[in-house]
Amino acid sequence: PVFPPNALYEPIISFSLSQPVMKNMGGYQDRRAVKSAKLGALAAELTAQRQVEVLVYDALEQYWNLVIVRRLIDARKKSVQFARQFLDTTEEEFKLGTAEETDVLAARANILVRDDDLKGLREVERGWQESLRTQLAMGPDIYIDNIEKEPPLIDLKGTIASRIGGALEMRRDYKASKRELELRDVELAVAKNERWPSMDLYSTLDLNEIGGSMSNAWSSVNSPNWTVGM
């Protein structure tokens, strides 16, 4: 008959194993790919942190420039006040006849010069404040006040070489460059491994049995079929 009167069942359980023996031997390239991804992510993170630091440092620099300009403005205000007092004294002496008219004119010119310097410093203060306000994304209605009167000074210790080395180790862009260099080394090692030809050692194991009933076929799955190749 074309079709057998009784159905036959053939369950098969198969296991397979493949292992590269040349290119990507022992998962060499796979591990290097994971390491490359980690180094790339670390370099990107350090670069982003460096960009944040640059923004913070720029804001700090503008802040201290604003502080110094305001100290200069305070000093210039006192200078203008002294110049006005000197003019009053010179005018009194001119009335008494102990000062010349040229002395009065010189005192008035001195006030104009110092007042002009004060106006210039106010423009500089406005420029630094606008720049800092833009850096910090503040509105034009916000006044930036300062509490500190002068920037703190740090006593640097050690040799110049040690200070330069310590400064480099603190720079995140330097660390990011080192991670990128390591990444290039890993990529070079992967590229060298790519020169090897592909050759895989593989093996399979099939367990099967033929039976007239499904339960008998599954319970007797013990006929091995081995395959080993390269």
Side-chain angles (χ1 to χ4, degrees):
V2 179
F3 297 100
N6 297 322
L8 295 178
Y9 299 93
E10 185 184 8
I12 300 174
I13 302 176
S14 178
F15 305 93
S16 64
L17 177 64
S18 178
Q19 173 60 54
V21 294
M22 297 191 75
K23 182 193 293 186
N24 197 26
M25 182 176 62
Y28 179 86
Q29 288 179 300
D30 299 334
R31 294 195 303 273
R32 294 306 183 276
V34 173
K35 186 176 181 180
S36 297
K38 291 182 179 179
L39 289 173
L42 180 58
E45 181 181 358
L46 290 171
T47 300
Q49 292 175 355
R50 177 58 184 175
Q51 292 174 351
V52 173
E53 288 179 347
V54 169
L55 293 175
V56 173
Y57 293 156
D58 289 344
L60 285 174
E61 181 182 4
Q62 294 172 8
Y63 170 79
W64 286 116
N65 285 329
L66 182 62
V67 172
I68 293 174
V69 167
R70 286 178 175 172
R71 291 195 64 186
L72 292 175
I73 289 176
D74 293 339
R76 187 58 63 187
K77 286 181 180 178
K78 294 180 180 179
S79 176
V80 173
Q81 182 179 0
F82 293 152
R84 294 187 184 280
Q85 294 176 358
F86 180 74
L87 175 62
D88 294 339
T89 303
T90 304
E91 289 178 344
E92 291 294 331
E93 292 178 351
F94 177 73
K95 292 178 181 179
L96 296 175
T98 58
E100 301 291 338
E101 183 178 2
T102 54
D103 297 332
V104 177
L105 295 176
R108 292 175 179 174
N110 186 32
I111 293 178
L112 293 176
V113 170
R114 298 189 181 192
D115 190 59
D116 186 64
D117 291 341
L118 178 60
K119 292 179 179 178
L121 289 174
R122 290 189 184 278
E123 286 298 317
V124 175
E125 177 195 15
R126 186 184 64 81
W128 282 120
Q129 188 169 203
E130 290 296 328
S131 179
L132 182 58
R133 189 181 287 118
T134 302
Q135 189 83 5
L136 299 178
M138 294 181 174
D141 56 335
I142 297 178
Y143 177 77
I144 301 178
D145 197 2
N146 61 279
I147 300 177
E148 295 85 357
K149 298 302 181 182
E150 59 185 8
L153 299 179
I154 301 176
D155 185 16
L156 299 178
K157 299 180 180 179
T159 63
I160 296 180
S162 63
R163 293 201 297 266
I164 293 177
L168 287 176
E169 289 299 326
M170 294 297 294
R171 288 183 64 98
R172 300 187 189 273
D173 54 345
Y174 174 70
K175 294 181 179 179
S177 298
K178 293 175 66 175
R179 300 294 87 78
E180 291 176 357
L181 182 59
E182 295 179 15
L183 175 59
R184 298 296 180 268
D185 292 338
V186 173
E187 291 176 347
L188 178 60
V190 173
K192 289 181 177 180
N193 189 260
E194 283 286 344
R195 298 181 302 175
W196 287 92
S198 297
M199 181 177 294
D200 297 342
L201 175 66
Y202 67 91
S203 63
T204 61
L205 170 62
D206 295 338
L207 299 177
N208 57 63
E209 187 59 60
I210 297 176
S213 66
M214 179 63 75
S215 59
N216 291 334
W218 274 112
S219 62
S220 301
V221 175
N222 56 5
S223 301
N225 181 18
W226 287 94
T227 303
V228 179
M230 181 174 289

